[in-house]
Amino acid sequence: MPSGRPNLSLPEVRQNPYPLYAQLRREAPVCELEPAGWAISRYEDVAHVLKNPRVFSSEGLRFAVEPPWFGRSNPWTDSLVMKDPPHHARLRTLVSRAFGSSLVSRLEPSIRATCETITSRILERREVDFVQDFALPLPASVIGGLMGLDPSLQSRFKKWAEDIVALSVSRPEDTELLASARTTVEEMERYFNEVMDHRRREPGEDMVSDLLRARVDGEPLTNRELMGFLFFLLLAGLETTGNLLSTSTWILSREPELLARLRADRSLIPRFLEEVLRYEPPVQATLRLCTEDTTVGGVPLPKGAMMYVLLASALRDENHFPDAERFDLDRTEPENLAFGHGIHFCLGAQLARVEARLALETMLTRIGRLSLRAEQVEWLPGVTVRGLKALPLEVRS
């Protein structure tokens, strides 16, 4: 390791974190970070942490969206992803019903129709930013529709997501970034309060109305729990699917042989998406907090230690994935951690996979030419989430 502790939030690391991840796995698989926290980088250790919520608390995630210098509360900290048992089970039951396989099957026709509409739109324009013109509108339409949100606000949804994600790399001196994030949280709270007030007066067939009607042990959800759910549903629904779709398209724009292979055999699309999830996962890391003195990978960690559990590093662990740095469509290794593991496995994983599959099926059927209009792409700065800031493409039928 170079002198000093590694810093995951440096711009050069966020542009390409994988060389640092590989070095950590080789030389210091459990190590202290600058300015704070510990990195867990090997597959075996990451899986161990995720499987043991009693010792490794999800409360650690609060630091990513509500750092001490943020200066106000963030309702996302009241969502189920930051809860431990038994409170986690109480909240997860509500959402797991909503995201079951029946919902996904019911949504497939409308998702496919949305993909067709968006594809027609980008073919008319020919030169597009795929992130803004496809990867955002699709999940925004799906999750916005499920929640009954105003579709005219889709562009604002993306800014909200980017501001919250940027908190994971913020520092006390980042006054402009922090001010923008505080404004975003205030806007989201104001908007969701208006939505809930409207649904109380006029309930509908949407997730917000369902959550307002829900009872757990005979009691309704508190306003903080409701707000936490709405933050979580919107932001997670946008970021995971949007980043998976834009990254998948970026890879295809750079690999014409891979693109041709998928065109020739659409049944390979699910396998392709699984390899994208391994090779460039939308969720790069999660955070955990040690509830007691413990050890990980033979390294002692004190009670209260905050850990960056590097999912993206684990998914390129050469001891678990042969030739891990190569994108391999024929890879068969199981246990993809891209959507988490254990009690915090992503509830929207099936929906995200279906949205991405239907999008690629539509694009591969209707788009004949897909070429990148830039030598390099810029990645968003978050440590916990990885996605493209923009993807300039030329598309032709």
Side-chain angles (χ1 to χ4, degrees):
M1 294 291 295
S3 60
R5 300 172 181 175
N7 187 334
L8 298 178
S9 64
L10 293 175
E12 60 268 28
V13 173
R14 297 328 312 150
Q15 186 68 12
N16 181 13
Y18 299 104
L20 176 60
Y21 291 164
Q23 187 179 15
L24 292 178
R25 291 193 302 273
R26 288 192 309 269
E27 302 175 17
V30 179
C31 71
E32 286 191 85
L33 295 169
E34 181 67 36
W38 295 74
I40 314 296
S41 56
R42 287 182 180 170
Y43 187 99
E44 183 178 354
D45 296 331
V46 165
H48 168 69
V49 169
L50 296 180
K51 290 176 182 176
N52 290 278
R54 184 188 64 80
V55 180
F56 307 107
S57 168
S58 297
E59 291 282 331
L61 267 169
R62 290 175 174 267
F63 186 83
V65 297
E66 191 183 283
W69 48 85
F70 186 39
R72 63 154 296 153
S73 64
N74 184 342
W76 202 349
T77 62
D78 291 300
S79 70
L80 79 165
V81 294
M82 301 187 196
K83 300 292 184 183
D84 298 319
H87 303 295
H88 173 268
R90 172 179 177 268
L91 297 176
R92 186 179 175 95
T93 300
L94 293 177
V95 182
S96 61
R97 295 174 191 151
F99 278 96
S101 57
S102 61
L103 169 76
V104 176
S105 298
R106 190 173 76 249
L107 288 177
E108 274 209 35
S110 64
I111 295 173
R112 190 180 294 277
T114 302
C115 292
E116 291 282 356
T117 299
I118 297 174
T119 301
S120 295
R121 192 181 304 149
I122 67 172
L123 281 170
E124 289 176 0
R125 296 183 58 184
R126 295 194 175 187
E127 291 189 353
V128 299
D129 172 5
F130 187 82
V131 173
Q132 294 296 328
D133 297 327
F134 201 126
L136 166 64
L138 176 60
S141 174
V142 174
I143 196 65
L146 285 173
M147 297 173 71
L149 305 182
D150 183 351
S152 70
L153 298 178
Q154 288 183 4
S155 60
R156 194 183 302 178
F157 295 164
K158 181 60 176 176
K159 182 184 185 303
W160 288 349
E162 289 181 356
D163 280 352
I164 299 298
V165 167
L167 283 172
S168 68
V169 294
S170 69
R171 300 165 298 176
E173 59 268 29
D174 295 329
T175 54
E176 186 174 339
L177 184 157
L178 294 168
S180 181
R182 282 191 287 268
T183 299
T184 281
V185 170
E186 290 166 4
E187 287 181 356
M188 292 181 69
E189 286 184 310
R190 184 164 54 251
Y191 174 63
F192 283 134
N193 273 319
E194 291 172 357
V195 170
M196 287 190 287
D197 287 344
H198 182 264
R199 297 299 193 283
R200 289 186 178 102
R201 295 191 304 269
E202 299 178 29
E205 297 301 320
D206 56 74
M207 283 191 176
V208 178
S209 299
D210 290 344
L211 289 170
L212 288 168
R213 287 189 289 257
R215 296 293 183 271
V216 180
D217 300 328
E219 297 292 329
L221 295 174
T222 67
N223 199 67
R224 286 180 64 86
E225 288 173 332
L226 286 164
M227 190 65 72
F229 259 124
L230 300 185
F231 268 62
F232 161 69
L233 290 170
L234 178 63
L235 299 178
L238 282 179
E239 285 297 303
T240 303
T241 306
N243 291 340
L244 172 59
L245 187 51
S246 58
T247 301
S248 298
T249 306
W250 172 67
I251 289 172
L252 290 176
S253 72
R254 299 166 67 235
E255 301 289 344
E257 292 183 2
L258 183 58
L259 179 62
R261 189 174 173 190
L262 292 186
R263 285 191 199 284
D265 186 357
R266 305 289 197 280
S267 69
L268 294 175
I269 291 175
R271 188 192 299 177
F272 165 75
L273 289 171
E274 291 308 301
E275 180 66 350
V276 174
L277 286 165
R278 184 200 71 83
Y279 188 77
E280 279 284 6
V283 179
Q284 291 270 296
T286 187
L287 277 69
R288 293 293 185 267
L289 200 66
C290 293
T291 61
E292 60 187 49
D293 292 347
T294 187
T295 61
V296 176
V299 177
L301 296 176
K303 179 179 179 179
M306 184 180 66
M307 299 176 297
Y308 286 81
V309 186
L310 301 178
L311 304 174
S313 175
L315 291 167
R316 292 203 188 190
D317 189 336
E318 43 285 305
N319 292 320
H320 196 84
F321 299 95
D323 201 8
E325 296 294 332
R326 182 170 67 90
F327 189 97
D328 183 1
L329 185 58
D330 298 312
R331 196 176 295 279
T332 59
E333 292 85 1
E335 298 183 279
N336 193 332
L337 297 175
F339 285 111
H341 186 82
I343 67 169
H344 284 289
F345 181 79
C346 176
L347 285 166
Q350 185 181 4
L351 180 58
R353 286 179 166 115
V354 168
E355 288 182 60
R357 173 177 62 80
L358 294 176
L360 290 180
E361 286 178 359
T362 305
M363 290 165 55
L364 291 174
T365 299
R366 298 189 55 191
I367 296 177
R369 178 180 177 184
L370 185 71
S371 53
L372 192 61
R373 294 189 294 114
E375 292 186 7
Q376 289 189 325
V377 292
E378 184 180 353
W379 297 84
L380 293 168
V383 171
T384 56
V385 174
R386 182 165 169 82
L388 289 164
K389 191 168 185 177
L391 181 58
L393 292 179
E394 180 181 350
V395 294
R396 296 285 191 275
S397 57

